[in-house]
Amino acid sequence: LCFFFLLILGTGSSILSALQDLFWLSKSKVEKQLQIISVLQWVLTFLIMGVACTLILMYILCTDCWAIGALYLAWLVFDWNTPKKGGRRSQWVRNWAIWRYFRDYFPIRLVKTHNLLTTRNYIFGYHPHGIMGLGAFCNFSTEATGVSQKFPGIRPYLATLAGNFRMPILRDYLMSGGICPVNRDSIDYILSKNGSGNAIIIVVGGAAESLNCTPGKNSVTLKNRKGFVKLALRHGADLVPVYSFGENEVYKQVIFEEGSWGRWVQKKFQKHIGFAPCIFHGRGLFSSNTWGLLPYSKPITTVVGEPITIPKIDNPSQKEVDFYHSIYVDSLIKLFDKYKSKFGLPETEVLEVN
C-alpha cells in the first residue's frame, strides 16, 4: 500500500531510489516495471472501476457500515450536477508522478503547431478514437506531456460518456483530471459560462470509430459527424483538428464485417448503452509475447493543428454547418499529410474519412 501511494504521489527519483534500495534492481528495470504498473492501473480503471465501485457501495449499504454508504449517496445527490458545470479539476492529481511513467511506457508525445489565444474558446476534434483513447487521456487529462506549458492559459476538458459520471468514485476520479460529460449541457456551460481559454476535446468518431481501429489502419469516422461543428458555431468556438499517430497501433482487435452477427451485437450496444464492446488484446503482464490487457508499447504522437476561426451564429443553418465541416475535414487531412512521414508513415499513406 505504501508503495502504491509512493508511485502516485512521489517524484520519479524518489520512487526509483526506494525500489532500488529494496530490490537491488537496475534503474532501467525498475523504470520499466513502474511504467507497466502505471498503465495497468489505468486500464483496470477504464474497464472495471465504475462497476466495481457501484457494487462495493451496494455491499456497504447492506452491512453495519451502511451509514458511510448513506452519507456518500447524500453527497452524490447534492453533487450530481457538478460534472455538467465544468467539474472539479485538481492540478495535484493531474501532476501525479504515475502519469509520467504512463507517458514513458509508450512513449506519448504532444506536438504543438500553433499558438492558441486565451481570449477564445476551442473545440478540439481528436482522431482516431483507438480502443481506449490513450493519447487523449495522457495529453489532455494529465500534465505528463506538458499541455499547460505548451498552451499557457488554456484549460483542456476531455469529454467522455456521460454514463461514467453516474458511477460512484469513478465520477470524482474523472473530474479531478478535467474530464467532463460529452453532452450538450456540459459543453454549453463550459463554452458560455466559464469565461475564455477553454478547450473541449471531443473524440469525434466515438464508439463507431473504435470498432474499426486496428494496427496499420488510418481511418476516421467523420463524414456524418457534424454536431461538434454546430456547437462550435453556436458558441463561436474555434475548431482545432488533432491527429494522434500511433493510437491504433497499441491494441489488436477482431474486426467483424458489416452484416455479421458480431457487428450487429456491437451496434445494438452502441445504440442503447453508448459504447460498443470490442474484442481486443494487447500484451501480457510479464511478457510482450503473450496476450493480455496491457497495450503494446508503441509510440503515440498527438499533433494539435491550426485553429479554424468560427463565427458565432445562434441558429446556424445546415448549409453553414456543412460549409465549416468541410473546412474542418480538409484541415484534418492536410494535418495528417504534413506529419505522416515524420512519424513513421509512408508518403503514399492516405487518411480514410468515413
Side-chain angles (χ1 to χ4, degrees):
L1 185 62
C2 291
F3 163 68
F4 181 72
F5 281 108
L6 182 64
L7 175 59
I8 291 178
L9 307 178
T11 63
S13 58
S14 66
I15 297 169
L16 285 173
S17 176
L19 286 182
Q20 282 182 275
D21 290 343
L22 282 173
F23 303 111
W24 298 94
L25 296 174
S26 67
K27 182 178 179 180
S28 60
K29 288 183 179 179
V30 172
E31 283 186 333
K32 189 60 182 177
Q33 293 308 310
L34 289 174
Q35 291 167 11
I36 289 173
I37 293 169
S38 300
V39 175
L40 179 62
Q41 67 82 27
W42 188 85
V43 170
L44 293 177
T45 295
F46 182 90
L47 293 175
I48 66 172
M49 183 177 180
V51 173
C53 289
T54 302
L55 293 175
I56 290 170
L57 179 61
M58 292 172 63
Y59 172 76
I60 290 174
L61 289 170
C62 298
T63 68
D64 292 339
C65 298
W66 64 268
I68 297 174
L71 283 173
Y72 181 80
L73 283 177
W75 161 253
L76 200 60
V77 172
F78 174 78
D79 195 54
W80 191 252
N81 290 322
T82 298
K84 299 178 183 178
K85 298 180 178 180
R88 189 168 46 244
R89 80 173 52 221
S90 166
Q91 288 302 117
W92 174 64
V93 174
R94 287 174 60 90
N95 281 285
W96 277 352
I98 196 171
W99 307 131
R100 295 192 288 277
Y101 289 106
F102 181 98
R103 171 199 67 197
D104 293 339
Y105 172 84
F106 298 91
I108 295 174
R109 180 185 172 202
L110 180 65
V111 176
K112 169 186 175 180
T113 63
H114 291 79
N115 291 325
L116 298 181
L117 299 175
T118 57
T119 55
R120 301 285 292 174
N121 283 324
Y122 301 90
I123 293 179
F124 287 17
Y126 184 91
H127 313 268
H129 183 287
I131 295 292
M132 296 186 184
L134 293 159
F137 171 79
C138 184
N139 285 308
F140 302 112
S141 294
T142 80
E143 294 297 330
T145 56
V147 63
S148 293
Q149 287 72 46
K150 288 182 170 71
F151 301 103
I154 301 298
R155 293 180 297 277
Y157 293 86
L158 177 61
T160 188
L161 291 175
N164 289 324
F165 296 89
R166 301 187 187 105
M167 297 185 180
I169 308 301
L170 176 63
R171 66 189 294 278
D172 302 286
Y173 191 36
L174 295 178
M175 283 194 291
S176 67
I179 301 176
C180 68
V182 62
N183 58 32
R184 182 169 172 175
D185 289 344
S186 176
I187 294 172
D188 282 348
Y189 183 91
I190 292 170
L191 295 180
S192 64
K193 298 179 181 178
N194 202 41
S196 60
N198 302 292
I200 297 180
I201 298 88
I202 300 177
V203 186
V204 178
E209 191 173 85
S210 69
L211 297 179
N212 295 314
C213 66
T214 187
K217 186 173 184 179
N218 288 283
S219 66
V220 296
T221 302
L222 183 57
K223 280 184 180 178
N224 297 316
R225 299 294 175 108
K226 300 179 180 181
F228 73 106
V229 178
K230 189 172 184 179
L231 281 170
L233 286 165
R234 288 180 61 244
H235 293 284
D238 293 350
L239 288 171
V240 182
V242 179
Y243 197 84
S244 210
F245 294 91
E247 185 72 62
N248 284 346
E249 307 299 315
V250 296
Y251 279 110
K252 296 178 181 178
Q253 180 182 187
V254 177
I255 304 293
F256 293 102
E257 297 294 329
E258 289 292 339
S260 66
W261 68 269
R263 183 53 63 99
W264 179 84
V265 170
Q266 288 176 323
K267 287 188 173 181
K268 286 295 182 181
F269 265 84
Q270 179 188 336
K271 180 179 179 181
H272 297 292
I273 301 178
F275 74 92
C278 302
I279 299 178
F280 65 92
H281 74 85
R283 53 155 290 183
L285 181 60
F286 301 107
S287 171
S288 59
N289 297 321
T290 58
W291 288 13
L293 290 176
L294 276 177
Y296 293 104
S297 52
K298 304 286 186 179
I300 298 175
T301 305
T302 303
V303 184
V304 180
E306 181 177 4
I308 303 164
T309 303
I310 302 294
K312 188 177 187 303
I313 304 173
D314 290 334
N315 293 295
S317 66
Q318 190 60 50
K319 184 177 180 180
E320 289 167 327
V321 171
D322 291 344
F323 174 73
Y324 284 101
H325 181 267
S326 66
I327 292 176
Y328 178 86
V329 173
D330 289 343
S331 296
L332 179 64
I333 293 172
K334 288 177 182 177
L335 179 71
F336 177 85
D337 289 340
K338 182 176 180 179
Y339 289 94
K340 61 186 178 184
S341 60
K342 187 174 181 180
F343 300 119
L345 298 177
E347 281 290 347
T348 55
E349 184 73 18
V350 176
L351 178 63
E352 182 183 329
V353 179
N354 299 313

